[in-house]
Every structure is written in structure tokens, then in C-alpha cells.
Amino acid sequence: AQKITQTQPGMFVQEKEAVTLDCTYDTSDPSYGLFWYKQPSSGEMIFLIYQGSYDQQNATEGRYSLNFQKARKSANLVISASQLGDSAMYFCAMRVQTSYDKVIFGPGTSLSVIP
Amino acid sequence: DTAVSQTPKYLVTQMGNDKSIKCEQNLGHDTMYWYKQDSKKFLKIMFSYNNKELIINETVPNRFSPKSPDKAHLNLHINSLELGDSAVYFCASSHRTVQETQYFGPGTRLLVL
């Protein structure tokens, strides 16, 4: 069965420091996509970054990078130079080839950036 | 330009009422979704439509009925609202491949009294 695990319900980081949000996934599908979304207190879901299962390089988008370790089935999000506006819930999600109409979300990690 | 829009943004209603939430996307996507986010922030898919055809119907009470008049619109009608239906409902859309990102609407905050 497909599953996403985020083991950190809450995280704190000092402003300007880097932080890693953990995500592990479980699937037997060889083809899948991994996504990270940010949900600030205003409630909208904002797409951050995507990693494909066949991608050779780790994805990067500005201050966001995805540490993809396929053998360990992990897709951790790294946020560099944290800003106060990064305080939000962060969700890891997965889409698999055999049921690509469905995206499975993890329970989320609440990140608080401390000034 | 709004990519995925939902109306209303807030909905407060009494138990037993029937209500609808509308969703529209202008991204040219062929697949649209409804998600429910509960008070613990857990996000779960309810329905998925591809080109107006129902693809996924998770274990959702049949009081919830999605309707897709065309591939740019997916509405959610809820009959006989219950207290447990209080949640945030998100509409999303994407193309129907594993690499494609889902884009979300702003959410509808439903409170059943």
C-alpha cells in the first residue's frame, strides 16, 4: 500500500538557518512523483517542489531543495536561509503511475521560524 | 488571473441543510479533485474527475455528490449536513500523469452548527 510518513509534527528553526523536513514514502510502483506543498496560516496550498522517481539529480527551486534518496525511500525538504514567512505547515505528497489520479499526502510538519 | 477558484470561501450553515461548493480552473487541466482537510490538518482525497468522468470515489458518504458539467468545473453538493462535515474543502486540478503537479484552490471553510 502507498503511504507517506512525516515523523516531525513540529519543528523550530532560527531565522537565516537551514532546516530539513523529513519525508519517507512507501510504494512498489517504479514510477512515481514526489511533491512538497506549503500551507501558511492563511490556508492556501502552495506547490513548492517536485521530484520524479527517475530523476538523476535532486530537485531545487530557489531556497528549496529536495534530498532524494531512492534506496531509503526518503524525500526530505531542505529550506536554506529560513525566513519568518516560511512559518507554515509543510506536506509531502506522492503520486504513483498505477493510480495517478490519486495523490497521497503525509500528515504534515508544522515549521516555526524564530527571529 | 486565478488558476483554481472556489466559491464560497466561507460557509456557515445549520445541521440538516443542503449546500454546494463550486470550483473552476482555467489551467486547461483534464483532471479535477475534491479534498477534505480535517481539524488536524490531515488532507484526504474525496473524488477525482477526468474529463467529466468520475475516476476516484473514496469512502465518502453518499450525501456528498460531485458534479462536473465540463472539464473546467467540478462542483460538490452536500445533502443533510452533519456536524462532522465541518472542515476545509479544497478543489484541485492537474493533468493526468504522474509527473504533473496538482494546483489547489483557496479552500472553502465549512462550519456546520
Side-chain angles (χ1 to χ4, degrees):
Chain A
Q2 285 98 16
K3 190 179 177 182
I4 293 279
T5 303
Q6 294 178 255
T7 56
Q8 307 151 314
M11 289 276 288
F12 290 90
V13 64
Q14 202 77 38
E15 197 178 4
K16 299 179 187 173
E17 297 290 314
V19 63
T20 297
L21 305 184
D22 293 343
C23 172
T24 57
Y25 60 92
D26 189 18
T27 181
S28 54
D29 252 274
S31 178
Y32 51 89
L34 297 159
F35 306 82
W36 277 93
Y37 287 85
K38 172 185 177 182
Q39 186 177 38
S41 58
S42 51
E44 69 269 30
M45 292 286 287
I46 302 166
F47 165 70
L48 296 178
I49 196 166
Y50 161 81
Q51 179 84 45
S53 59
Y54 294 119
D55 292 345
Q56 296 295 317
Q57 293 193 324
N58 287 343
T60 60
E61 287 287 347
R63 293 187 299 111
Y64 304 109
S65 59
L66 202 151
N67 184 0
F68 181 46
Q69 298 189 40
K70 195 169 181 177
R72 299 175 72 175
K73 293 190 174 178
S74 75
N76 298 339
L77 177 70
V78 180
I79 306 175
S80 62
S82 297
Q83 301 171 357
L84 295 179
D86 294 334
S87 294
M89 281 288 285
Y90 288 82
F91 293 95
C92 181
M94 176 173 67
R95 193 172 191 178
V96 300
Q97 186 67 43
T98 51
S99 60
Y100 44 67
D101 303 288
K102 188 172 177 175
V103 176
I104 302 155
F105 282 80
T109 294
S110 177
L111 177 67
S112 297
V113 180
I114 306 165
Chain B
D1 286 344
T2 304
V4 184
S5 59
Q6 286 178 238
T7 54
K9 192 167 182 181
Y10 299 96
L11 189 52
V12 181
T13 188
Q14 298 285 335
M15 230 172 24
N17 283 351
D18 302 339
K19 291 292 178 187
S20 292
I21 308 172
K22 295 186 176 182
C23 177
E24 177 181 1
Q25 56 95 4
N26 62 6
L27 297 167
H29 289 155
D30 53 13
T31 307
M32 295 183 72
Y33 311 80
W34 279 109
Y35 286 87
K36 180 180 180 180
Q37 187 175 41
D38 62 23
S39 58
K40 294 182 179 175
K41 300 288 188 181
F42 188 69
L43 201 64
K44 190 165 192 289
I45 191 165
M46 299 172 70
F47 301 103
S48 165
Y49 264 76
N50 177 260
N51 282 322
K52 302 194 296 174
E53 182 184 344
L54 180 65
I55 304 298
I56 288 176
N57 181 355
E58 290 289 293
T59 50
V60 176
N62 57 14
R63 299 182 294 105
F64 290 80
S65 52
K67 284 190 173 52
S68 181
D70 55 61
K71 70 175 191 178
H73 295 84
L74 180 62
N75 303 326
L76 183 65
H77 187 75
I78 315 170
N79 288 327
S80 303
L81 278 155
E82 299 177 358
L83 295 178
D85 298 332
S86 295
V88 181
Y89 292 85
F90 284 99
C91 177
S93 74
S94 77
H95 287 300
R96 198 185 179 197
T97 65
V98 70
Q99 299 90 349
E100 291 293 327
T101 299
Q102 284 188 335
Y103 291 93
F104 283 77
T108 295
R109 286 140 191 86
L110 171 66
L111 178 60
V112 182
L113 302 173

